[in-house]
Amino acid sequence: MDERARVASWPEGKQGAYARVRDGVRAYRMIAAMWIRSTTAYRASFAMTTFGSFAATALDFVAILLMFSQVDTLGGYSLPEVAFLYGAAGTAFGLADLALGSMERLGRRVRDGTLDTLLVRPAPVLAQVAADRFALRRLGRITQGVLVLGYAVAVLDLSWTPLKLLMIPLMLLSGGAIFGAVFVAGAAFQFVAQDASEVQNSFTYGGGTLLQYPPTVFAKDLLRGVTFVFPIAFVNWLPALYVLGRPYPLDLPTWVAFAPPLVAAGCCTLAGLAWRAGLRSYRSTGS
Amino acid sequence: MGTARLYAAVAVGGFRRYATYRTATAAGVFTNTVFGLILAYIFIALWDEKPHLGGYDQAQALTYVWLGQALLMTVAVLGGGFEEELIERIRTGDIAIDLYRPADLQLWWLAQDAGRALFHLLGRGVVPLAFGALVFDLALPADLLTWLAFLVAILLGVVVSFAIRFLVALSAFWLLDGAGAAQLAGIAGFFCSGLLLPLNVFPGALGEVVRALPWSSLIQAPVDVLLGTADPLSTYAFQAAWAVGLLAAGRLMQSVATRRVVVQGG
C-alpha cells in the first residue's frame, strides 16, 4: 500500500484512547519514515551530520577524561563510576532526543503559523510535531552513550546480580521516558511563551549535563529540586547508585532505585495533560 | 567620513535586530545561569580535589565559569549570527546583489556582527555574571583599568570569532551547503575556546596546541586578562595576530569566490 492510500485510510471521528494512541504511533512512523528517506538521500551529508552529532556529544566525555587526567576522583567517584552515570544519562537522553527532539521547534511553528497546517490533518498533532524533521543522525548521541556505558560496565569492579543487570535496561527506558516527558512539557510551555525555547534547553540539555556527574558534587537544595520537584534524579542517579552500591543522596530509602518506571509513567501523564492544555489554549497567529 | 557613518548604521542595525527578541533574551539568560550553576558545582568539586589546578584558586575558577557563560553569546563560541544568513544568501544567489552594493562585504558583516556582539554582552552577559557574583565567592577585580583591559580583549575576541565565521560562511561558495562546515566550527569553538574547561587545565602537548589556536582568543584570553593571570599586552598581540591573519585569509577567499560567482538568469 503506498503512502497516499495509507493516509486515506486514517480513521476519522470519535474514537477511544487506544485507537488515538494507535493512530498517533502510525502517523509518527509514517512521517519519520518520510524524513529518513529524505535525509538519507544525500548520503555524504547524512554521514557527516551523524558523525558531527556523535563527535559533539563525545566532547562532553573528553572533558570528563581531561578532568580525570588531573584528579583521581570527582566528588568521591572514580572515572568508571562517572562513566557509568554519564553513559546511562547520555543514552536515556539520546533515546528521548531521537524520538521527540524535534519538539523544540514548536515555538517557531506557533510564531510563523505553520502549526495550523498540522491541525487540519487527520492525525494527532503531538505525533505530527514529534515526527517533524525526524533526524536519524541523532543515533550518533545514543551510540556515544552506549559506548561509554559499555566501557563502564566492562571496567567496573562490581559483584553483578540479576537484579543489577536488569536495572540497566530498566534505567535506560524509564530515563528515556522521563526525558521524553520533559520534551513534551517543554513544547506545551512554548504554546504560552513562543519565544522561550531556550528555557526548555536548560531542562533538557541542562538536566542531561547535570546527571553526567555524581550527585555528591551538587548542593543539597539542587538535589532536592531534581528529586521531588523536577524528578530527573530517577533517570540515572537513584537506579545507578543501587548498581554501584553507593549511598543515595538525601538519605532516601533503598526502594527508590526501583521507582523509575512509576516516576516515568507519572511524568508522561502530567506532560500529556500539559500538552492538551497547551494545544487547547493555542490561538493561531493569523489575522 | 561617509563610509564610517554607513558601517556605524549597519552596527546599530545589528544591535537593534537582536534587541527585538526580549523573551528569547530572557530565556537565554535563564539557560546561561542554569549551566553556570551546574558548571560551578563541578568546578568546586574539581578544585576541592586539586587546589590551584591550572594555576587558578577556587574563586578564580568560579569566576572563570561565570565569565564563560557571560561571554558565550558575545563571542559566538558555538556560532549563530550573521554566518547563517550569509550562507543562505550564497546558497540562494542573493549574494550577487550584495556584491553590487557600494560597500565592502567583509566590513559590512563585521559591522553587523559588532552590533550583535554588543547587544549580547549587555543582554546576556551582565545578568549571569551578577547572579554568579551574588551566589558564589568570585575573584572580580576592583580597579576600573582591569575591566577596561578586559573589554579590549573581548573586542579582539569578537573580531577573531567574526573572522573564523566569515571563512566558514564563504566555504559555502564551494560546498554549496555550509551546514557541515558551520557544525564543525561550532564543535571546535566549544572545545578549543576554553568554555567547557579552562585551556590551562588541558594536559601536556594538547594544552599547548589548544592554547595556540585562534579559539583561545574567545574565552580563555579575555578571562585571563580579567583575572590578571595573563599579561594584557602579549594577550592582545596574540589575539590581534590571529585577527589580522584570519581577516586577510577571508579577504583572499572573498576575492577568489567573487570571481567564481555566476549570476543565473536575467
Side-chain angles (χ1 to χ4, degrees), chain A residues 45-224:
Chain A
S45 176
F46 174 72
M48 253 171 72
T49 51
T50 307
F51 175 75
S53 159
F54 177 89
T57 49
L59 284 181
D60 281 344
F61 190 64
V62 173
I64 292 178
L65 289 176
L66 287 174
M67 290 177 193
F68 275 93
S69 77
Q70 306 282 357
V71 300
D72 295 326
T73 59
L74 191 61
Y77 282 62
S78 67
L79 177 60
E81 288 175 308
V82 173
F84 188 71
L85 292 174
Y86 176 97
T91 310
F93 183 75
L95 289 172
D97 186 45
L98 177 70
L100 300 164
S102 302
M103 297 205 66
E104 65 185 19
R105 294 172 51 84
L106 183 88
R108 194 184 308 178
R109 278 192 169 278
V110 171
R111 274 203 309 281
D112 65 18
T114 50
L115 186 69
D116 291 12
T117 47
L118 305 187
L119 295 178
V120 296
R121 286 189 199 144
V125 181
L126 181 63
Q128 293 186 66
V129 175
D132 181 41
R133 289 174 185 266
F134 180 85
L136 201 61
R137 68 180 144 78
R138 294 196 180 114
L139 280 175
R141 186 186 283 278
I142 300 179
T143 313
Q144 197 262 335
V146 170
L147 283 177
V148 175
L149 188 64
Y151 154 80
V153 169
V155 297
L156 272 173
D157 190 19
L158 292 177
S159 50
W160 290 97
T161 62
L163 210 52
K164 284 187 177 181
L165 280 174
L166 181 71
M167 197 59 109
I168 294 178
L170 190 80
M171 163 170 81
L172 299 181
L173 291 176
S174 313
I178 294 173
F179 268 128
V182 177
F183 273 108
V184 173
F189 174 67
Q190 289 189 45
F191 278 114
V192 189
Q194 310 162 11
D195 227 5
S197 63
E198 274 213 62
V199 169
Q200 189 177 349
N201 291 348
S202 345
F203 291 98
T204 51
Y205 292 93
T209 308
L210 182 84
L211 298 178
Q212 292 169 2
Y213 294 88
T216 47
V217 163
F218 300 100
K220 278 262 160 35
D221 284 332
L222 192 60
L223 294 180
R224 278 190 202 105

Side-chain angles (χ1 to χ4, degrees), chain B residues 107-118:
Chain B
L107 275 176
W108 173 282
W109 290 108
L110 177 59
Q112 209 255 13
D113 201 50
R116 177 205 59 80
L118 182 64

